[in-house]
Amino acid sequence: MLAVGHLWDAQMNLYHLVQFLVLVANKATRTSDNICQLAVEATEMECCRRQLVPYGEQRFLQLYNHLAGRIRPRKFPIGIFTLYTIFFILISLSVFLFHLRNISGDESQPLLSVESRSGQVQTLQVPDGQLWDPPNSHGLHLCVKPTAKYKGAQGFDRYLTVRSNGGLNQMRTGIADMVAVAHMMNATLVIPQLDKRSFWRDSSVFSDIFDELHFIESLKGDVRVVKELPKNLETVPRARKHFTLWSGVAYYEEMKRLWNDYQVIHVAKSDSRLANNDLPLDIQRLRCRALYRALRFSPPIETLGKRLVERLRSRGGRYIALHLRYEKDMLSFTGCTYGLTDAESEELRIMRENTNHWKVKKINATEQRSGGFCPLTPKEVGIFLQALGYPTSTQIYIAAGEIYGGNTHLSELSARFPDLIFKESLATPEELKAFSNHASQTAALDYMVSVESDVFVPSHSGNMARAVEGHRRFLGHRKTINPDRKGLVEIFDKMETGELDEGPSLSNLVQRMHKSRQGAPRKRHGSLPGVKGRARFRTEESFYENPYPECICGSRRKLEIT
């Protein structure tokens, strides 16, 4: 609209110029006594032009044609007034062309959003498709079927019992790993026990969260799964093992020697016990079948989860699922205190000191934040989403537990995006009653809503963020915007010192920074350069964060592209 206004002014200025030149041409043969009269007439024409502008372009053209028909230039000899006329034409055309160049420059700049005209922060207006459309999947598709060489497990008289550890998604990926381990060790897998001693203190058993019968049936061709140990083996001695982190096939081949002395092996922890890379293709695909097919949530969770998605769709169609990991346990564990009061920071420090299985007690909060290891604050998330171009009317589902500090901190996000939605506002108290005091079950609801969202945005790269991103890649590379927290902190610090303001410049910077962080197909990242020994495994991208290329396939040409 700004460019159109400039163009209209330029047209009216040109019209004034034509009128003035016609008058000059008709008066060129007059004597010098008429010069003052000529100036008066030109002034009258200017007044006429100003009066015509409000009536619009169509009225202007009608009156212009009327004037052009009445004013006919006379023939006149070359003289001083003709030279003046040529001079005025050259000068006026130069000014006009310069003005057009400015108009063209204005049009080349991105338009400001509508919100900027109402006094709010100016942002770049982003095409709707850029905000919501999934990235190009290049025709890639799921591929989880076993190869022709694959064989199911044979060891029906050997049993693997497992105690899963961690929160919901740490347990889910650990259980999927144990399915693969049972297959490699020719063992029967007993339905795993869930963690009841973690921060969440959830008393749920396997069947409360997962569809137990479906889990057993769907893995029938891969691993034998039973609900419990046979009665005659409940009291026999067991080998108790903490399998080594990120182990490969050779390690578990070695572990088979335990069958020489034991009929039951108990695995004390299940998380990250299998390597991310360099495993046989059939093992990797078994992990995908276990996580994405066999570990289906229990019927009550599945029913309510689908209902929540339907209600979100009926409220406003598209929505962002925001995994706002601004919860007490995460802030305490990471030592991130930016934006908190001294009392809040001290509370988190005491919690960290009193949690025995958190090994690191002294943490430099400033270094954590500048390194990109802290979750984004609610305020930072609001700035980030607004800079990406999402309108303030966007539906945002908060996939999280209790936000630390409650509305005190959350209001810094809701001030920018008022339509924040929690499962407590979507479901009735009666619907949620069965899940109360069961953090893993309510986390499963958040997981389902997040996987089905149009856009998923995690504020921190924790277990749920990685699991949801991997699942969305598996389902067709649904749009997942992974914030560059380290880069964003540098931007936020510049804003704090006044070096950078909110507006088009910030939006352009943030959008360019995240152009390649939106869930497009790519191969899994390996370890960081320079990291040696077993430490390199810790820096690898998790298999469950990106199961490409083992469980996502395409033509050879397309695989080379990605």
Side-chain angles (χ1 to χ4, degrees):
M1 290 302 293
L2 293 174
V4 172
H6 286 312
L7 187 57
W8 172 245
D9 287 343
Q11 289 173 336
M12 295 309 299
N13 289 335
L14 180 59
Y15 166 54
H16 178 214
L17 172 62
V18 171
Q19 285 184 315
F20 182 76
L21 293 178
V22 171
L23 284 170
V24 170
N26 279 284
K27 305 298 182 180
T29 57
R30 296 182 183 181
T31 63
S32 59
D33 293 335
N34 293 327
I35 293 176
C36 292
Q37 180 63 29
L38 181 64
V40 170
E41 290 182 23
T43 303
E44 290 174 352
M45 293 294 286
E46 169 63 12
C47 293
C48 177
R49 181 188 76 82
R50 292 179 179 175
Q51 291 174 352
L52 290 175
V53 169
Y55 291 95
E57 184 178 3
Q58 185 176 2
R59 180 62 175 159
F60 150 64
L61 291 173
Q62 290 173 353
L63 292 174
Y64 172 79
N65 292 331
H66 178 67
L67 284 170
R70 293 181 57 189
I71 302 174
R72 286 181 169 77
R74 304 173 186 174
K75 294 182 180 180
F76 55 90
I78 299 296
I80 187 65
F81 288 103
T82 305
L83 292 177
Y84 283 161
T85 302
I86 295 172
F87 177 76
F88 283 135
I89 290 174
L90 292 175
I91 294 298
S92 301
L93 284 176
S94 298
V95 172
F96 179 69
L97 291 173
F98 180 79
H99 195 53
L100 278 182
R101 187 183 69 175
N102 288 342
I103 293 172
S104 177
D106 289 340
E107 289 177 332
S108 66
Q109 297 297 321
L111 296 180
L112 297 179
S113 68
V114 175
E115 286 82 1
S116 67
R117 298 177 197 156
S118 62
Q120 296 181 12
V121 174
Q122 295 180 353
T123 57
L124 295 180
Q125 189 170 11
V126 179
D128 207 49
Q130 185 177 324
L131 293 174
W132 299 101
D133 289 352
N136 187 349
S137 64
H138 299 286
L140 297 174
H141 56 86
L142 305 182
C143 49
V144 296
K145 290 183 178 180
T147 66
K149 298 179 181 179
Y150 180 76
K151 294 181 180 179
Q154 303 296 319
F156 286 75
D157 58 342
R158 301 161 179 171
Y159 293 85
L160 201 66
T161 61
V162 176
R163 190 184 76 81
S164 300
N165 61 297
L168 172 69
N169 290 287
Q170 195 172 352
M171 290 192 292
R172 288 178 68 247
T173 55
I175 291 169
D177 278 356
M178 288 301 107
V179 169
V181 168
H183 175 87
M184 288 189 288
M185 295 186 66
N186 289 325
T188 294
L189 178 66
V190 180
I191 288 290
Q193 304 166 17
L194 302 187
D195 192 342
K196 297 179 176 60
R197 294 180 293 179
S198 65
F199 170 81
W200 296 275
R201 303 287 180 180
D202 191 336
S203 60
S204 301
V205 297
F206 189 94
S207 59
D208 292 328
I209 300 175
F210 305 107
D211 188 334
E212 190 173 80
L213 291 177
H214 174 79
F215 181 73
I216 294 171
E217 286 296 315
S218 64
L219 292 172
K220 191 177 290 185
D222 303 296
V223 175
R224 179 174 176 243
V225 182
V226 296
K227 291 185 179 182
E228 54 190 19
L229 277 173
K231 295 292 184 181
N232 64 310
L233 296 179
E234 287 181 350
T235 58
V236 299
R238 305 180 189 184
R240 299 183 180 274
K241 288 292 298 181
H242 282 80
F243 287 146
T244 302
L245 293 168
W246 302 295
S247 296
V249 172
Y251 173 83
Y252 287 106
E253 285 292 329
E254 175 66 19
M255 289 298 101
K256 284 183 179 180
R257 60 180 171 77
L258 293 172
W259 297 132
N260 296 331
D261 301 312
Y262 300 96
Q263 200 172 350
V264 180
I265 298 175
H266 178 70
V267 182
K269 287 188 175 183
S270 62
D271 64 316
S272 304
R273 304 296 145 170
L274 201 54
N276 293 307
N277 303 299
D278 302 321
L279 291 175
L281 179 60
D282 275 321
I283 295 300
Q284 298 287 58
R285 290 187 176 179
L286 174 56
R287 297 169 86 180
C288 287
R289 291 197 299 276
L291 186 66
Y292 303 128
R293 300 272 177 86
L295 275 174
R296 189 168 70 188
F297 290 122
S298 65
I301 293 174
E302 286 278 329
T303 300
L304 184 55
K306 291 175 181 177
R307 195 176 296 162
L308 296 182
V309 173
E310 290 171 359
R311 289 172 185 172
L312 277 166
R313 297 289 183 207
S314 64
R315 287 179 88 258
R318 297 176 299 199
Y319 69 94
I320 293 174
L322 171 62
H323 183 43
L324 188 59
R325 197 68 170 92
Y326 203 72
E327 298 155 308
K328 186 175 182 180
D329 66 303
M330 174 55 69
L331 296 176
S332 177
F333 177 75
T334 57
C336 296
T337 58
Y338 175 77
L340 300 180
T341 65
D342 291 341
E344 289 172 329
S345 299
E346 179 63 14
E347 181 184 28
L348 297 178
R349 186 196 66 77
I350 293 173
M351 178 182 177
R352 186 167 60 253
E353 288 287 340
N354 294 336
T355 305
N356 294 329
H357 60 277
W358 291 352
K359 303 303 180 184
V360 181
K361 303 299 182 181
K362 294 183 179 180
I363 301 175
N364 186 313
T366 302
E367 290 180 0
Q368 281 287 92
R369 182 171 179 270
S370 61
F373 303 119
C374 289
L376 297 180
T377 69
K379 180 181 179 179
E380 290 170 341
V381 171
I383 296 172
F384 172 62
L385 292 177
Q386 202 164 53
L388 288 176
Y390 286 98
T392 58
S393 59
T394 302
Q395 277 195 117
I396 300 180
Y397 178 86
I398 304 297
E402 183 178 353
I403 302 302
Y404 188 60
N407 196 54
T408 301
H409 297 303
L410 194 62
S411 61
E412 296 177 312
L413 172 60
S414 60
R416 295 170 184 269
F417 293 93
D419 199 3
L420 300 183
I421 305 164
F422 296 82
K423 53 185 166 287
E424 290 81 6
S425 60
L426 276 181
T428 65
E430 291 74 20
E431 289 173 325
L432 291 174
K433 185 177 181 180
F435 306 103
S436 62
N437 300 318
H438 295 292
S440 293
Q441 295 183 47
T442 54
L445 294 173
D446 284 340
Y447 183 92
M448 289 188 66
V449 176
S450 297
V451 168
E452 295 301 323
S453 64
D454 297 277
V455 179
F456 176 65
V457 179
S459 68
H460 188 262
S461 57
N463 291 312
M464 177 166 171
R466 291 194 292 268
V468 171
E469 180 178 355
H471 202 160
R472 289 171 67 84
R473 287 181 179 277
F474 181 77
L475 294 174
H477 292 92
R478 298 174 178 178
K479 193 179 189 75
T480 299
I481 304 176
N482 195 353
D484 180 354
R485 295 189 304 281
K486 186 175 181 180
L488 286 173
V489 164
E490 295 177 5
I491 290 176
F492 296 146
D493 286 346
K494 287 182 179 180
M495 293 176 65
E496 202 167 282
T497 59
E499 296 178 63
L500 182 65
D501 293 323
E502 288 191 64
S505 296
L506 172 67
S507 296
N508 190 47
L509 189 61
V510 171
Q511 289 171 25
R512 283 191 287 109
M513 181 184 290
H514 292 85
K515 187 175 182 180
S516 59
R517 302 176 68 92
Q518 305 199 20
R522 61 168 176 79
K523 291 185 178 179
R524 197 164 52 253
H525 295 317
S527 59
L528 293 177
V531 182
K532 299 180 180 180
R534 294 196 60 82
R536 72 186 188 276
F537 296 131
R538 190 176 295 276
T539 67
E540 292 177 343
E541 184 175 23
S542 166
F543 172 77
Y544 296 112
E545 186 176 357
N546 184 8
Y548 176 66
E550 297 92 341
C551 300
I552 302 172
C553 304
S555 67
R556 182 175 298 275
R557 181 182 64 83
K558 289 174 179 174
L559 285 173
E560 289 171 353
I561 290 174
T562 57

